[in-house]
Amino acid sequence: MMASDAKTILPERATIHSIFAVPDMHCAGCIAKVERGLANVPGIVSARVNYSARRVTIEHDQALSPPELRAAIAGIGFAAEPLADPMVDDGQAESKTLLKALAVAGFASMNIMLLSVSIWSGADGATRDLFHWLSALIALPTVAYAGQPFFRSAFSALRAGRTNMDVPISIGVLLATGMSLFETITGGRHAWFDGAVMLLTFLLAGRWLDGAMRGKARDGVAALLRQSAPGAYVVRAGQRKWVAARSLTPGMMMQVAAGERFAADGEIRDGRSSIDLSFLTGESQPKPVSIGDMVHAGALNVDGPLTVIVRACGPDTVIADIARMMDAAGQGKSRYVRIADRAARIYAPAVHLLAALSFAGWMIAGAGIHQSLLIATAVLLITCPCALGLAVPAAQVVACGALMRRGILVKDGSALERLAEADRAIFDKTGTLTLGRPEPINLASLTHEKKSIVLALARASRHPLSIALAGALQRQGIVAAMVDDLQEVPGVGMRGSCAGHPVALERPSGATAWAGLATQFMFGSRRVLLTFADALRPDAVSSVARLRVMGLEPIIASGDRPEALHDIAIATDMLATGRMTPQAKLAMIERLKAQGHRVLMVGDGLNDGPALAAGHVSLAPSSASDASQLAADAVFLGDSLAPVAIAVRAARRTLAVVRQNFALAIGYNLLAVPLAIAGMVTPLVAALAMSGSSIVVVANALRLRNAAK
């Protein structure tokens, strides 16, 4: 056989996914090290870091075991723990640890500063030494406890032969504390316990704020999965028994009553009803179903009892697929790195080099080891990245507070930065552009007597349109008539009799079936079509126009029928696409991303969850489903759509202040570092200067208190 004719058939490579929690990732450099390091390990196909959840998903050969993967991550310099359940998130424990450390450091710094003020005021001799010892008694245990988050991270990095932002922080704090203790023991005039502890307080505050906001990023997936019922009644061997959702298996026969949600995907074997499938389709009107139709976990059975044979359960359901899409989209978004993290790649080695060169230079100049160490400590402290670290979170916290006062709850501080960059806005229709509350618009066509009959029928039904109809009639002061033989026909509506006449409130059929939001009232042989409208949110038209002025091109992407979108599209002057599934919305966002656009997604339904997670930034109204609220970066309260434009404007102001803060922080370093290297700055002055730079940054951020006006 000729070599050119030979073909080698290789078996398909079998791979699996493993997920590990990696809590010590703190910057973009950590992400790059983990992903590049694991990619070079034999048997590992790929590694993807989810920074928001502090975890890495590894695709690897089946031959690699979890202990081997854990060892590979440890070899890169990071402690890791396997996660059996990908929805587990241990970020709360880290946040509590940081908060405790912050409380200790803050309390200690206030007390040490009181002692330092006395020394600065002229205390000398034995009084000064006493105050130094009291400061030492407070500072030493505080540094040992509150500095642990930085010390552990720095030690892990150094043990792996790398560096990170926590290394100069740890060195500076330990040197300042050690030199202060030496000065205290030898009766020196100066000690810098206040600078060391205050430094920890500022840094812990920034890290806790970042962690607290980042910890919400994963909550949307768990909330989405909670939409599915916890279990179902299963019929086996003629007996009816409750079975938890995790124990359901394909082939089981579920019985689902009206008003209950489905615990698994399945096929209807008996019964007729209508189901609320808005989390999949966005359709505002329940969909009629009967024998042979498919139903999905999380959907609400509206009208009548159904018997369903389970076809898919647990991780194989459609709602679980949507959760996976949200998770994957969230990982893509987690690659957005703050400017401070990008600067940290070169910041730490630069600080070390400057301190080392300062020490060596002064030793060569004959200053002695004591004086050289003081200068090196001053360099480490004065160049510590406190102002840089606060540049972003200080502005974000102030802006988030201003937005909160306007009814806009921002959950992820970095969302403001991304919101300022958005140039496209995609809106869902029902519940987003509109209020999601159908209201009858032609009740005037009914007489008072017929309104009473309609109210009696509507009150007995759990259908969303019946609930809206009953509410509207009750607000008019209508009293329900006496209707006999009331019964709900699954998939049809309510029927009864009044004064010998058959009456009904049913789904439109025949020539009137085209009607969108509508129901049909029957009195004897006469029929009246009652139509409903889902009103636009107040300020919707002006808010969309305001977004256009700011350079955001708005688009409607809805799961509703195209005919239901027509009037809304005309009123808001937007292009609209209907019958969009979650996958279609996700694909639209990916297409816009590929074209270089940055998408603001505004939605409210479960079907919007993946799109909210995939957008460059996302907002949801407070009326949205729990999963959508948690998947979104911000939630706005009230019925008005104006908060969307307000948030964009505030975000752009915030980004401008962030840039100013970075200019101030960098300018401070350019001025202060040469002075410290020249030996003109003591460690105490360095610590005060560092704190002063932080105060300047915070003061500049406070200008954002009116950002939402």
Side-chain angles (χ1 to χ4, degrees):
M1 182 182 290
M2 296 292 292
S4 59
D5 296 329
K7 293 183 179 179
T8 303
I9 300 176
L10 298 175
E12 184 179 354
R13 190 178 189 183
T15 61
I16 58 175
H17 290 80
S18 296
I19 301 173
F20 287 80
V22 188
D24 292 333
M25 294 186 293
H26 293 297
C27 64
C30 298
I31 296 173
K33 286 183 176 72
V34 170
E35 292 184 340
R36 285 200 302 264
L38 290 176
N40 294 327
V41 175
I44 292 180
V45 178
S46 66
R48 182 109 183 241
V49 168
N50 185 330
Y51 180 57
S52 65
R54 297 282 180 87
R55 72 185 192 194
V56 58
T57 301
I58 306 172
E59 183 183 358
H60 59 92
D61 292 341
Q62 293 181 352
L64 284 176
S65 64
E68 291 173 322
L69 293 172
R70 181 181 179 186
I73 300 173
I76 304 170
F78 294 89
E81 292 296 333
L83 292 178
D85 183 355
M87 299 308 160
V88 171
D89 181 15
D90 59 353
Q92 290 186 353
E94 181 190 8
S95 180
K96 289 179 181 178
T97 300
L98 288 172
L99 188 58
K100 290 177 182 177
L102 173 60
V104 170
F107 179 77
S109 64
M110 288 187 291
N111 285 277
I112 295 174
M113 283 301 296
L114 289 175
L115 296 170
S116 298
V117 167
S118 299
I119 296 174
W120 298 341
S121 300
D124 206 352
T127 303
R128 180 196 63 212
D129 293 342
L130 174 63
F131 284 170
H132 279 169
W133 277 111
L134 290 174
S135 297
L137 289 174
I138 299 172
L140 292 178
T142 299
V143 170
Y145 176 76
Q148 288 184 48
F150 307 103
F151 299 156
R152 284 197 300 263
S153 174
F155 178 73
S156 298
L158 293 173
R159 188 174 57 183
R162 60 182 181 84
T163 186
N164 61 15
M165 187 182 283
D166 292 335
V167 173
I169 291 173
S170 300
I171 294 174
V173 169
L174 292 175
L175 269 178
T177 306
M179 293 295 294
S180 298
L181 184 60
F182 176 79
E183 289 289 311
T184 300
I185 293 172
T186 58
R189 294 186 60 82
H190 302 292
W192 308 279
F193 294 116
D194 47 2
V197 177
M198 188 181 296
L199 178 65
L200 284 176
T201 303
F202 276 109
L203 292 171
L204 285 166
R207 187 157 292 184
W208 177 78
L209 288 170
D210 176 70
M213 291 183 290
R214 183 172 30 78
K216 296 181 179 294
R218 292 275 302 155
D219 293 344
V221 176
L224 175 60
L225 294 176
R226 285 197 297 269
Q227 293 294 323
S228 184
Y233 282 103
V234 173
V235 178
R236 281 190 286 192
Q239 294 187 342
R240 191 168 179 261
K241 182 181 179 182
W242 173 263
V243 176
R246 63 179 177 273
S247 301
L248 292 172
T249 57
M252 286 184 172
M253 202 71 70
M254 298 187 302
Q255 289 187 339
V256 184
E260 294 181 351
R261 293 189 180 272
F262 297 95
D265 293 355
E267 180 184 344
I268 297 176
R269 283 298 177 90
D270 185 40
R272 294 179 62 194
S273 183
S274 58
I275 59 172
D276 181 353
L277 206 61
S278 57
F279 80 102
L280 281 179
T281 65
E283 185 71 43
S284 51
Q285 189 170 16
K287 172 187 174 184
V289 291
S290 58
I291 296 174
D293 289 333
M294 289 294 297
V295 293
H296 299 284
L300 176 67
N301 182 16
V302 176
D303 289 332
L306 293 172
T307 301
V308 178
I309 184 170
V310 175
R311 297 299 188 195
C313 48
D316 299 323
T317 59
V318 172
I319 197 170
D321 285 338
I322 295 177
R324 280 189 287 270
M325 283 192 292
M326 288 175 64
D327 189 40
Q331 289 186 34
K333 185 173 65 180
S334 71
R335 285 185 172 275
Y336 188 89
V337 183
R338 292 189 176 95
I339 300 173
D341 291 328
R342 293 196 292 267
R345 292 188 177 186
I346 60 171
Y347 195 92
V351 170
H352 297 150
L353 181 62
L354 283 173
L357 289 175
S358 300
F359 177 79
W362 281 96
M363 284 291 291
I364 294 171
I369 190 168
H370 180 270
Q371 181 66 20
S372 299
L373 271 176
L374 283 177
I375 293 173
T377 302
V379 172
L380 280 172
L381 288 177
I382 211 164
T383 58
C384 224
C386 193
L388 277 174
L390 284 172
V392 176
Q396 290 174 349
V397 167
V398 176
C400 289
L403 287 169
M404 184 178 296
R405 291 191 292 273
R406 292 296 300 271
I408 305 165
L409 311 180
V410 180
K411 299 182 300 176
D412 180 1
S414 67
L416 293 174
E417 205 168 337
R418 288 181 274 112
L419 187 57
E421 298 169 344
D423 61 0
R424 289 290 185 275
I426 296 180
F427 288 89
D428 178 47
K429 181 187 81 74
T430 305
T432 304
L433 284 172
T434 67
L435 292 170
R437 299 193 291 267
E439 290 291 335
I441 57 178
N442 64 333
L443 287 179
S445 62
L446 297 176
T447 64
H448 188 278
E449 177 188 4
K450 289 180 179 177
K451 286 181 180 179
S452 299
I453 299 171
V454 169
L455 177 57
L457 293 166
R459 265 195 334 191
S461 173
R462 302 175 68 177
H463 193 283
L465 293 186
S466 295
I467 294 172
L469 191 56
L473 290 170
Q474 286 171 339
R475 286 193 294 272
Q476 292 184 11
I478 302 298
V479 178
M482 292 295 297
V483 176
D484 301 319
D485 302 324
L486 267 175
Q487 61 174 331
E488 187 164 9
V489 181
V492 177
M494 296 299 304
R495 290 178 177 173
S497 63
C498 182
H501 298 282
V503 294
L505 194 62
E506 299 179 345
R507 177 178 288 107
S509 59
T512 60
W514 59 268
L517 292 174
T519 187
Q520 184 174 253
F521 170 58
M522 298 181 62
F523 184 83
S525 60
R526 290 183 237 173
R527 304 186 180 196
V528 178
L529 186 67
L530 299 176
T531 56
F532 296 74
D534 191 3
L536 274 172
R537 285 181 176 270
D539 303 323
V541 175
S542 60
S543 297
V544 170
R546 201 170 300 125
L547 289 175
R548 272 202 189 88
V549 171
M550 288 189 283
L552 279 79
E553 186 60 36
I555 307 166
I556 300 175
S558 173
D560 267 343
R561 303 170 311 283
E563 56 269 21
L565 300 176
H566 181 265
D567 291 342
I568 301 293
I570 295 225
T572 57
D573 192 24
M574 283 195 283
L575 291 174
T577 305
R579 298 197 186 281
M580 296 198 75
T581 62
Q583 293 85 347
K585 292 184 180 182
L586 199 55
M588 174 183 282
I589 291 175
E590 294 302 328
R591 283 196 304 272
L592 289 170
K593 282 184 178 179
Q595 295 168 9
H597 297 296
R598 292 171 175 176
V599 179
L600 161 62
M601 178 67 201
V602 188
D604 75 308
L606 287 177
N607 62 312
D608 297 318
L612 289 167
H616 191 63
V617 65
S618 55
L619 278 78
S622 58
S623 57
S625 65
D626 289 344
S628 294
Q629 289 190 40
L630 291 169
D633 296 304
V635 175
F636 58 91
L637 307 179
D639 290 339
S640 175
L641 198 65
V644 176
I646 291 173
V648 173
R649 185 173 64 248
R652 292 183 177 179
R653 292 179 180 175
T654 303
L655 186 56
V657 168
V658 166
R659 288 170 177 163
Q660 293 167 10
N661 281 350
F662 271 96
L664 290 169
I666 293 170
Y668 152 78
N669 278 285
L670 291 176
L671 176 65
V673 171
L675 295 176
I677 293 174
M680 301 173 65
V681 177
T682 67
L684 176 60
V685 173
L688 290 173
M690 177 275 300
S691 300
S693 68
S694 301
I695 291 171
V696 170
V697 166
V698 172
N700 188 52
L702 288 174
R703 297 191 302 114
L704 290 168
R705 285 178 295 183
N706 297 322
K709 287 188 177 179

